[in-house]
Structures are given as structure tokens and as C-alpha cells.
Amino acid sequence: MSSSEIKPLRILISGAGIGGLTAAIAFRQAGHSVKLFEKSRVLNELGAAMHLAPNASGLVRRLGLVPEMKGGIRVEWVSEYGTDGSLVFEIDASQTTDKYRHPWQLMHRVDMHSALKEIAVAKEERGVPAAIATSSRVVDVDFEENALILENGERHSGDVIIGADGVRSVLRSAVVGGNCSANPSGQSAFRFLLPVSEILADPVTAQFVAKTGKLQVWMADDKRIVIYPCRYNLLLNFVCCHLDARNCSHEEDWGQDANKAEMLDIFKDFFPPMIALLSKAPAGEIKHWQLLDLPALPTWVKGNVALMGDAAHPFLPYQGQGGAQAIEDGVALAAVLPLGTKKEDVADRLKLYQECRYERATRVQDVTRMLGISPTGNREKLNGKPGTPARASGPTTNSIAAGQFAEYNYNHDAYVSACEKLDQFLKEEKERSEDKRCLI
Ligand SMILES: Cc1cc2nc3c(=O)[nH]c(=O)nc-3n(C[C@H](O)[C@H](O)[C@H](O)COP(=O)(O)OP(=O)(O)OC[C@H]3O[C@@H](n4cnc5c(N)ncnc54)[C@H](O)[C@@H]3O)c2cc1C
């Protein structure tokens, strides 16, 4: 193909969250034209932190986002405690630098989101800057015309349509058909942030921040508190997961202001310093998240439309992998659609994207589900009978299983893997066309 014949693909992305923005960067850097449609009026992320595990931190680095330049910090310690404050185990995670190809980091979601947005629209970056239309709620997709349909009636057609519209995706049911909404998992989480300086100033709570870069999990049988720092170790992020039979089925009920008294009541069996720590949560800033789940979908693609991130595979938070898998999807999508891909080849390439990603994302999702809290307690064996109590001391079977799974999870490079799949696909395609020529 001569360079004059090479035409960039017109990529339309519904949703400018972590996955949509990652895909936008990867596509623009590949030389395509990208437009994102975001329902929010302004592009703002949640005031919470996220893991940037090695499988994701390497990918964003390749796209030009250096997490430590944007407040990202390394995980230095991983500890597990019981409700009474007893240490179950502590691992020096600084050694993971040798174990994994990329650093294991923690970042404020706002910092992560802003950094991705900056790169997606930057003039000086490789390729043409992506365009972001805010206040643009996507309500449907027209597969004949290959067009996104907005709430205001506007239609935008492109060569590739990506559904990166999150856990409550609209494009999911358009692609898969029928009702495939994510459902309450029976678990919810309170989330908030506290300044490290405030915790350090109180002798009762200073112990929680004695070490920097510490990821600590406080386990009860049917609830857990996950605490880790972000933004240059200045803020401490709390995710307090518990069983919750309520059904907040409306979008508006989600991520809502939470009742502090309710949170303190749910976690009242933890030792007094933890209660003192939780009591510092600013009443108006605690958010309650109902954790939604969805069994693996039969497909993520239809024609020239593909789902990614939470739209394709919503994640429970127990491995901090939802954002990471969305990042892997975004990078893989662009890898299988390099510049020069013809519009008529897009549908097959999106099937290839699904082949690259489906098994892995589903596996990570399954293991995450198993690591979640359940009415039978956290200490059940993953491969044994549910509810079998583990040893009273020592790491829970959950922790051991999570550690073993981390090798598989963290050492994966979704970009290299998708490029290898594309090479193989093109080789086989060439062989097929040569076979056909021989027959003529
Ligand atoms: C309690 C909790 C803790 C978590 N912790 C971690 C963690 O530590 N690490 C991690 O990797 N992941 C974590 N996750 C998961 C992570 O937040 C998600 O998996 C990740 O944000 C998915 O990215 P996404 O782009 O698919 O969706 P989102 O980031 O949710 O983005 C979707 C975007 O689409 C927009 N949108 C939605 N509908 C429409 C529409 N109709 N039209 C246009 N725009 C639309 C939304 O406004 C949003 O901007 C956690 C999740 C929870 C609930």
C-alpha cells in the first residue's frame, strides 16, 4: 500500500473514563483520528485512589504517562491484619521491582484521569489530538450506518465504535442484545481519603502511616478495610468493603454520600485505633459504592463496534484490576488496528481484539470474584470446600492465592501479546490468500 493510500480510521469512543482515554491515546499515537463522547458536563474523576499494578503501569508508561511524575507512588509494603490489630503478615514489596517488569504503583484517580486526558488531547504528542465532546450522552448505536446516537439526536458515524461507557454501559446491550445490566453483587464499599499529616499528628492513629507506600488490608470474616496512600504519599485512601443486601439499581444511587454513623457501626468490631481512624472521615466526603457484577458476556463485539473496560467486564475491587484491565483493552485495541487497516477489515480485527483479551480478562475477573468477601467468610479455600476455615494464624488462603495469581497477572504485557496475535493473524491470512491463488 502506498503512503497516499493509507487512511487513518475514524474512531468514535463512548465514554472518556480510564479505558476510553487510554484507547484514545493508543489510537491517536497509531495515527488514527479519535473522537470521544462523554456524558458528563466536565471531565471529572472520583476523589479516590487506584492501584496501578505492574501490568498496567508498564502500558501507561509506554503511552507517555510516567505515574511518579503525577503523584504515583510505589507499593513498598503489603500487610494483612486481623480485626484486633494483630499482624498476619507483612511483605517487603520494594523487591517486586525484580519480580515484575514494571513498578507496582498507587495513584489518585483524579491525577491518573487528568494525565490521560492531557496526553489524549496534547498538540505536541504523536498523531492528531483526540477531540472530546462533553455533555454528550450516547443513547444508542446504529450498526448499519456505524454511527453513535446521542441523547440530543445527533448522529456521528465512524469506522470503529468503542463502547467504553463503564459499568452501566448503554452500548453493552446494543452489542450483546437483551438485558445484560450489571447486578448488585451483595457487597458495597465506603470510600474516602484522609490527609496523612492528620493521621500522623494523632498518636492513636500514627501507627497506620508509620511506613510510606504501605498497602494494608484489615480482614474480618465478612468485611474488610483496604488502606493505601496516593498522591506523593500525602493522602490515605480507604475502601471499606462489607456485605450489603440493598439494591441501589439507579445510577443516581451509586457513589452517593454515605452515612458516617452507618459506616462506624458496620466496622465497630475492629480494634479501637481503627475506629479512631475511621472516625476521622469527613462526614460529607464518604461515598458509598454498591459493587456491581456481571457474568462473562457471550461477546464483546458486533460488526465494527467493540466493548472495553467495565462495559465488557465490570470488576469487583478485590485485586485493584478493573482500571488495569480497561487499560490493557485500550492498548490491545489499537495494537490490532494499526495505521493502514482498511475499514472492511475492522470487524475481523475487533474479533481478534476479543480473542486477545477475553480469556485473560475473564480469568482475572473470576479470581477477583473468588477473593471477594462472602457470607461464609474470607478465609475459605479457593480450591477447597467453601466455608472451610483456614488456619487461625498465617496468611489467609485468599492472600496466598492472590500472591500466586499475581505472577500471571502482573507479568503480562497486553501490547506485546496483541502485537504477536496480529502478526500470527496476518501470517495466516497471507497463507490463506496464497492457497487461494494456487487453486486458481
Ligand atoms: C470500590 C472500587 C474500587 C476500585 N479500585 C480500583 C483499583 O484500585 N484499581 C483499578 O484498576 N480499578 C479499580 N476499580 C475499578 C475501576 O474503577 C474501573 O474498573 C475502571 O474505572 C473502568 O474503566 P472504564 O473506562 O471502563 O470505566 P469508567 O472509568 O467508569 O469510565 C466510563 C466513562 O463513561 C462515561 N459514560 C457512561 N455512560 C455514558 C454514556 N451513555 N454516554 C457517554 N459517556 C458515558 C462515564 O461518565 C465515564 O466517564 C475500583 C472500582 C470500585 C467500584
Side-chain angles (χ1 to χ4, degrees), residues 342-370:
K342 296 194 198 106
K343 186 179 175 180
E344 56 269 29
D345 292 334
V346 167
D348 279 345
R349 295 296 179 84
L350 291 183
K351 283 187 196 143
L352 182 65
Y353 149 72
Q354 174 167 318
E355 229 177 86
C356 293
R357 296 287 310 137
Y358 189 89
E359 194 188 318
R360 176 172 159 81
T362 306
R363 192 169 167 201
V364 179
Q365 200 184 20
D366 283 346
V367 173
T368 302
R369 215 171 267 131
M370 286 191 278

Side-chain angles (χ1 to χ4, degrees), residues 286-318:
I286 310 170
K287 298 285 174 198
H288 193 245
W289 291 58
Q290 186 163 55
L291 305 175
L292 303 180
D293 199 6
L294 181 69
L297 294 170
T299 184
W300 296 353
V301 303
K302 181 175 173 184
N304 287 21
V305 183
L307 302 174
M308 67 171 295
D310 278 6
H313 42 68
F315 264 82
L316 296 172
Y318 302 111

Side-chain angles (χ1 to χ4, degrees), residues 187-432:
Q187 299 153 56
S188 288
F190 295 96
R191 303 196 77 168
F192 60 92
L193 292 155
L194 281 176
V196 167
S197 56
E198 189 185 328
I199 301 164
L200 207 51
D202 180 346
V204 179
T205 56
Q207 59 181 297
F208 294 102
V209 286
K211 286 178 173 162
T212 55
K214 180 162 156 171
L215 165 64
Q216 41 193 306
V217 185
W218 295 75
M219 290 278 213
D221 274 349
D222 57 353
K223 62 196 87 150
R224 77 179 61 154
I225 300 170
V226 182
I227 304 174
Y228 54 91
C230 64
R231 196 173 279 168
Y232 301 111
N233 270 307
L234 294 173
L235 291 171
L236 204 60
N237 180 66
F238 291 76
V239 186
C240 309
C241 303
H242 64 102
L243 296 172
D244 186 0
R246 283 172 296 185
N247 180 359
C248 310
S249 50
H250 300 296
E251 193 172 358
E252 294 71 32
D253 295 337
W254 203 54
Q256 284 302 293
D257 288 346
N259 183 325
K260 183 170 172 179
E262 185 195 352
M263 179 181 80
L264 291 174
D265 185 53
I266 289 173
F267 293 93
K268 64 177 181 290
D269 9 334
F270 281 80
F271 80 142
M274 177 59 83
I275 304 301
L277 184 64
L278 296 182
S279 302
K280 291 186 187 298
E285 291 174 29
I286 310 170
K287 298 285 174 198
H288 193 245
W289 291 58
Q290 186 163 55
L291 305 175
L292 303 180
D293 199 6
L294 181 69
L297 294 170
T299 184
W300 296 353
V301 303
K302 181 175 173 184
N304 287 21
V305 183
L307 302 174
M308 67 171 295
D310 278 6
H313 42 68
F315 264 82
L316 296 172
Y318 302 111
Q319 287 195 100
Q321 275 290 320
Q325 293 301 314
I327 290 168
E328 288 195 3
D329 289 345
V331 167
L333 269 165
V336 298
L337 291 163
L339 190 63
T341 305
K342 296 194 198 106
K343 186 179 175 180
E344 56 269 29
D345 292 334
V346 167
D348 279 345
R349 295 296 179 84
L350 291 183
K351 283 187 196 143
L352 182 65
Y353 149 72
Q354 174 167 318
E355 229 177 86
C356 293
R357 296 287 310 137
Y358 189 89
E359 194 188 318
R360 176 172 159 81
T362 306
R363 192 169 167 201
V364 179
Q365 200 184 20
D366 283 346
V367 173
T368 302
R369 215 171 267 131
M370 286 191 278
L371 294 173
I373 46 175
S374 74
T376 50
N378 289 316
R379 288 172 186 270
E380 65 195 29
K381 287 186 164 61
L382 278 178
N383 298 314
K385 274 195 206 147
T388 312
R391 288 165 297 161
S393 61
T396 59
T397 43
N398 272 6
S399 314
I400 297 168
Q404 287 163 351
F405 188 66
E407 295 271 322
Y408 161 82
N409 197 0
Y410 291 175
N411 271 328
H412 182 76
D413 187 319
Y415 174 72
V416 170
S417 168
C419 289
E420 283 169 2
K421 282 255 193 229
L422 177 64
D423 285 349
Q424 184 62 28
F425 174 89
L426 294 174
K427 200 172 134 212
E428 285 167 12
E429 194 178 58
K430 194 166 163 229
E431 281 165 9
R432 277 195 300 274

Side-chain angles (χ1 to χ4, degrees), residues 35-50:
K35 182 150 190 187
L36 296 114
F37 297 88
E38 167 58 47
K39 72 173 182 187
S40 317
R41 197 164 48 82
V42 281
L43 273 186
N44 52 358
E45 247 297 335
L46 292 158
M50 64 179 286

Side-chain angles (χ1 to χ4, degrees), residues 42 88 118 213:
V42 281
V88 178
E118 247 172 62

Side-chain angles (χ1 to χ4, degrees), residues 25 29 59-67 70 115 119 125:
I25 297 170
Q29 292 184 350
L59 296 178
V60 297
R61 219 166 271 271
R62 191 182 274 126
L63 296 177
L65 194 170
V66 183
K70 302 287 176 184
I119 301 174
E125 282 288 327

